[in-house]
Amino acid sequence: MSEYLANWGEFIGGIAVVISLVYVGLQIRATVAQSKLDSYTKSTELWAQFTSAVAADSDTWNIFHQGTQDYESLEHAERSRFGFLIAMYFGIIDTIMTHEQAGIYPSPETHQRALDQAYAVFTMPGVQQWFSRSKGRIFAPSVEAYLVDRQDKEGGQP
């Protein structure tokens, strides 16, 4: 009888271990999903902060807009301000690229739309003027490599 109970005890213990492992697996899956959501939310917050910084103040908007069209026409202080803004913009792109490499985005379209927009901004005349002065010192090497490689492939056209 005691052997019978021992066998049942082992069987029930084995089932409890399996149930525990399934539960831990589900918890890990939920944690990973929440982490991805938090990272995606962070990207959205970065865009909102950038948009707010540029659009909320007419001077900042004018500097950003004029800088993308003709960087050389900006005053020295405006060039500095534009440099911070455009570096912030491409810093967000770096975050998006990093999140994509980590598998954060549920759809590759989200990532590609951001890259297409970044390329459109990068190829604007004023941004090209800014980049020629700042090359290699302003934003992440991965972003720079992507944008320059794409520009080379597309012949410099947006």
Side-chain angles (χ1 to χ4, degrees), residues 27-154:
Q27 291 295 69
I28 290 172
R29 179 185 243 174
T31 299
V32 168
Q34 184 61 50
S35 178
K36 286 182 177 185
L37 181 61
D38 291 345
S39 293
Y40 188 80
T41 300
K42 182 64 177 172
S43 293
T44 303
E45 288 171 356
L46 290 171
W47 278 122
Q49 290 169 0
F50 176 78
T51 302
S52 178
V54 173
D57 179 70
S58 63
D59 288 339
T60 303
W61 167 250
N62 289 332
I63 289 169
F64 184 76
H65 179 70
Q66 184 176 343
T68 61
Q69 304 306 309
D70 185 8
Y71 175 79
E72 300 297 335
S73 70
L74 295 173
E75 299 290 327
H76 179 72
E78 293 172 330
R79 286 182 189 171
S80 295
R81 197 165 174 191
F82 178 78
F84 281 113
L85 291 169
I86 203 71
M88 178 189 242
Y89 178 86
F90 288 119
I92 295 168
I93 298 304
D94 178 50
T95 300
I96 288 171
M97 290 175 79
T98 301
H99 286 178
E100 173 64 16
Q101 290 171 352
I104 300 301
Y105 296 111
S107 165
E109 289 178 31
T110 303
H111 176 249
Q112 192 57 53
R113 274 186 261 142
L115 293 181
D116 290 345
Q117 183 61 40
Y119 181 69
V121 170
F122 179 70
T123 57
M124 294 177 133
V127 178
Q128 287 292 292
Q129 293 166 350
W130 164 82
F131 182 70
S132 69
R133 286 180 172 224
S134 309
K135 194 182 303 186
R137 295 177 296 168
I138 300 300
F139 50 88
S142 60
V143 176
E144 182 175 342
Y146 170 79
L147 295 170
V148 171
D149 288 348
R150 183 168 172 179
Q151 188 175 37
D152 290 345
K153 288 175 186 170
E154 296 187 18

Side-chain angles (χ1 to χ4, degrees), residues 2-24:
S2 64
E3 187 178 320
Y4 175 76
L5 291 174
N7 287 339
W8 267 103
E10 285 182 34
F11 178 73
I12 292 172
I15 290 176
V17 168
V18 169
I19 290 171
S20 295
L21 290 174
V22 168
Y23 177 76
V24 168

